[in-house]
Each structure stands twice: as C-alpha cells, then as structure tokens.
Amino acid sequence: MEVYSKGFIHGLSQRLGWERGRSYRVPGKVLPQQNIVLYDLTQAQEIPNDGV
C-alpha cells in the first residue's frame, strides 16, 4: 500500500527528524477487523533517489 499525503509526511518529517523532500518506506501491518494499518515508524528507510 502506498500513501501519498504531503501534509502527513511533512508532519512526520518534523516530528521524527526525517529529511524533508525525501521519500521513505515504512513497514506496516494490516488489521482488517479493525479496518486500520499499523505502521512501525522506527523502521522507516529512506528510498534512494536514482536521479529519475
């Protein structure tokens, strides 16, 4: 699942000290009975920009 929300990511970047303007991959777990996804922000990895 991919989430695109500039405001959401900007807020996370500020709170967690992530580089602004970068993309991150964050593992998550779908909890279908609760209709939510739980993300582990401590496991975020920057997605390299290959110059594309």
Side-chain angles (χ1 to χ4, degrees), residues 31-44:
L31 303 175
Q33 291 181 325
Q34 290 87 357
N35 207 24
I36 62 172
V37 177
L38 206 58
Y39 293 101
D40 185 353
L41 300 177
T42 65
Q43 298 298 314

Side-chain angles (χ1 to χ4, degrees), residues 6-50:
K6 194 172 187 176
F8 178 66
I9 298 303
H10 177 71
L12 284 177
S13 296
Q14 283 187 309
R15 289 187 137 225
L16 300 172
W18 294 353
E19 293 277 334
R20 274 188 80 187
R22 305 283 175 111
S23 294
Y24 293 86
R25 181 169 288 122
V26 181
K29 184 178 193 176
V30 177
L31 303 175
Q33 291 181 325
Q34 290 87 357
N35 207 24
I36 62 172
V37 177
L38 206 58
Y39 293 101
D40 185 353
L41 300 177
T42 65
Q43 298 298 314
Q45 295 181 344
E46 185 178 328
I47 299 171
N49 180 353
D50 295 331

